[in-house]
Amino acid sequence: MAQSWMETVAEAQRRAKKRLPPSVYSALLAGNERGISYRDNLNAFGELGLAPHVAGNYGERDLSTSVMGELISMPVIISPTGVQAVHPDGEVAVARAAANRGIAMGLSSFASKPMEDVIAAHSQIFFQLYWMDSRDTMLAMMERARAAGAKGLILTLDWTFSYGRDWGSPLIPETVNLKAMARFAPEAITRPRWLLEFAKDKKIPDLTAPNLAVGGAAAPTFFAAYGRWQQTPPPSWEDIGWFVEQWGGPIMLKGISRVDDAKRAVDSGFSAISISNHGGNNLDSTPAPIRCLPAVADAVGDQIEVLLDGGVRRGSDVVKAVALGARAVMIGRAYLWGLAANGQAGVENVLDIMSGGIDSALRGLALSGIDDLGPEHLLIPDDFHPNTAPAPT
């Protein structure tokens, strides 16, 4: 236990880097262009201080809340991320971990496991979709999610197909065939434990997106599906309203950074919004979500649930986000590093890091629960605005 336990997300990242082939790790790190948004997502949390008390602390603290009607044990949910081929069990392992820790999970339409298998492992699943293909295809995917038992939908709209990383992009094959295996064999051989995991299960990452298969067709490859998405004309607000109406249940709009877009989301009937810049993977120079949060929460927080996604690495980050108006946060890289480092147990470890950090911060602030947080518990600099930073390493 002592050897497998990770005390911080940073340690999970170190172990993931050591365990994964370089190309796979680089794909998880991601970022875009100069990496300004990627780095700002992390740095912005460090600019916010906490103002603790030394007495009057509560013996027990309530971390629970709800998101889109789902009760969760703490204000953290799993953000949808595509093709989790860092471990043979992928999204199913993540779903089991989320179920064991009492939180909800967003499942990407680009996931490596079918939604039916993931929902069988955990009932609190929000299925994520992009605006892609035709309305008929989107309806078919909606109905599949409904039939599988998804509790809600997440519509992600903040992707602009921006390319290029100054530090170089990872090589990702179209499919894992003999040619690809020969090409990546030198990398895989240097990571024998990762290779052995897949060998034991007699599985290799096939890099397909089974949740984007429609009409009985075979699952498309990741890049084939990406091409379909890229060729789809972007939606209007009228299109988005149609999407919300067709689902008719709990639904989140992910990718908000502006107050005017947040207000349009309210008018369109969304249950929740997520302030996000896609983890810094998309339009570089977009400010960290935590910088955008106060203005958005002040404008619409009494009309819609506001979540934050980007740069969360510890429980105190969660506390800062909730204090500035977030209902909850969504985590991405943090749990993926846990998955890569130690499978389902690694994800549970990361979730325990989050809950422990939230509880410690609330104790220090002398609060009885997450609902007591407000901006008065933070030290916020006057110049809390986007900054520039070097690319990730």
Side-chain angles (χ1 to χ4, degrees):
M1 178 66 178
Q3 292 182 341
S4 63
W5 176 256
M6 300 170 289
E7 62 178 330
T8 66
V9 170
E11 175 60 20
Q13 181 179 359
R14 284 190 290 269
R15 294 193 194 180
K17 184 176 183 179
K18 186 176 180 180
R19 191 180 191 93
L20 294 173
S23 291
V24 179
Y25 175 76
S26 181
L28 286 189
L29 189 66
N32 197 37
E33 295 185 342
R34 290 174 59 193
I36 294 171
S37 294
Y38 176 97
R39 189 61 68 188
D40 192 44
N41 284 4
L42 298 171
N43 289 345
F45 280 104
E47 296 175 27
L48 296 169
L50 296 170
H53 291 284
V54 295
N57 311 81
Y58 288 81
E60 295 182 1
R61 291 150 295 279
D62 183 7
L63 275 57
S64 64
T65 188
S66 65
V67 171
M68 295 206 296
E70 294 298 309
L71 297 176
I72 52 178
S73 64
M74 60 176 167
V76 175
I77 70 173
I78 297 294
S79 188
T81 60
V83 191
Q84 295 173 14
V86 299
H87 187 276
D89 293 335
E91 293 84 0
V92 173
V94 177
R96 290 171 179 157
N100 286 346
R101 294 301 183 266
I103 67 167
M105 173 183 176
L107 176 67
S108 173
S109 54
F110 280 83
S112 63
K113 301 293 183 184
M115 66 177 79
E116 291 81 4
D117 293 351
V118 179
I119 294 173
H122 184 24
S123 62
Q124 290 182 303
I125 300 295
F126 303 135
F127 183 60
Q128 179 267 347
L129 284 164
Y130 294 97
W131 185 268
M132 61 180 292
D133 294 325
S134 66
R135 284 191 173 194
D136 286 345
T137 299
M138 284 183 273
L139 280 173
M141 288 190 283
M142 268 190 220
E143 292 311 310
R144 181 180 170 187
R146 199 189 310 274
K151 299 296 186 182
L153 289 187
I154 299 172
L155 178 62
T156 302
L157 294 177
D158 64 340
W159 194 255
T160 61
F161 302 96
S162 178
Y163 295 101
R165 300 178 176 117
D166 288 358
W167 54 95
S169 295
L171 294 173
I172 303 174
E174 171 76 15
T175 186
V176 183
N177 52 26
L178 289 175
K179 182 178 179 181
M181 286 190 283
R183 182 178 186 181
F184 287 90
E187 281 193 25
I189 290 172
T190 64
R191 301 294 190 269
R193 289 187 298 166
W194 180 81
L195 196 59
L196 183 61
E197 283 180 340
F198 285 93
K200 283 181 178 178
D201 284 9
K202 298 180 181 179
K203 300 175 183 176
I204 57 172
D206 62 7
L207 301 184
T208 61
N211 295 311
L212 291 175
V214 293
T221 66
F222 180 91
F223 287 108
Y226 190 88
R228 284 165 37 190
W229 174 26
Q230 188 176 28
Q231 294 172 43
T232 305
S236 65
W237 280 105
E238 288 72 23
D239 291 324
I240 294 168
W242 168 86
F243 191 98
V244 172
E245 183 179 0
Q246 295 305 308
W247 174 248
I251 184 168
M252 178 191 303
L253 177 56
K254 189 172 183 290
I256 293 289
S257 63
R258 298 168 54 118
V259 168
D260 53 355
D261 280 352
K263 291 180 177 179
R264 294 297 296 267
V266 171
D267 293 341
S268 296
F270 283 92
S271 313
I273 55 175
S274 174
I275 302 175
S276 171
N277 61 13
H278 224 105
N281 291 341
N282 187 26
L283 189 63
D284 202 25
S285 298
T286 303
I290 191 69
R291 299 188 190 280
C292 304
L293 173 61
V296 172
D298 286 347
V300 300
D302 60 342
Q303 304 169 69
I304 195 170
E305 294 178 8
V306 178
L307 285 83
L308 177 140
D309 188 346
V312 175
R313 298 291 187 272
R314 59 196 81 244
S316 59
D317 294 341
V318 180
V319 164
K320 291 172 183 179
V322 175
L324 290 180
R327 170 67 67 95
V329 306
M330 306 173 79
I331 61 170
R333 289 183 181 91
Y335 80 81
L336 289 175
W337 288 326
L339 177 66
N342 199 25
Q344 176 183 334
V347 179
E348 292 174 356
N349 189 158
V350 166
L351 296 178
D352 290 342
I353 291 167
M354 292 292 169
S355 62
I358 296 168
D359 187 71
S360 292
L362 290 177
R363 180 187 177 99
L365 294 169
L367 299 177
S368 64
I370 204 76
D371 292 338
D372 296 332
L373 281 163
E376 66 274 15
H377 299 112
L378 302 183
L379 304 174
I380 307 171
D382 293 335
D383 61 346
F384 190 63
H385 56 78
N387 63 356
T388 57
T393 58

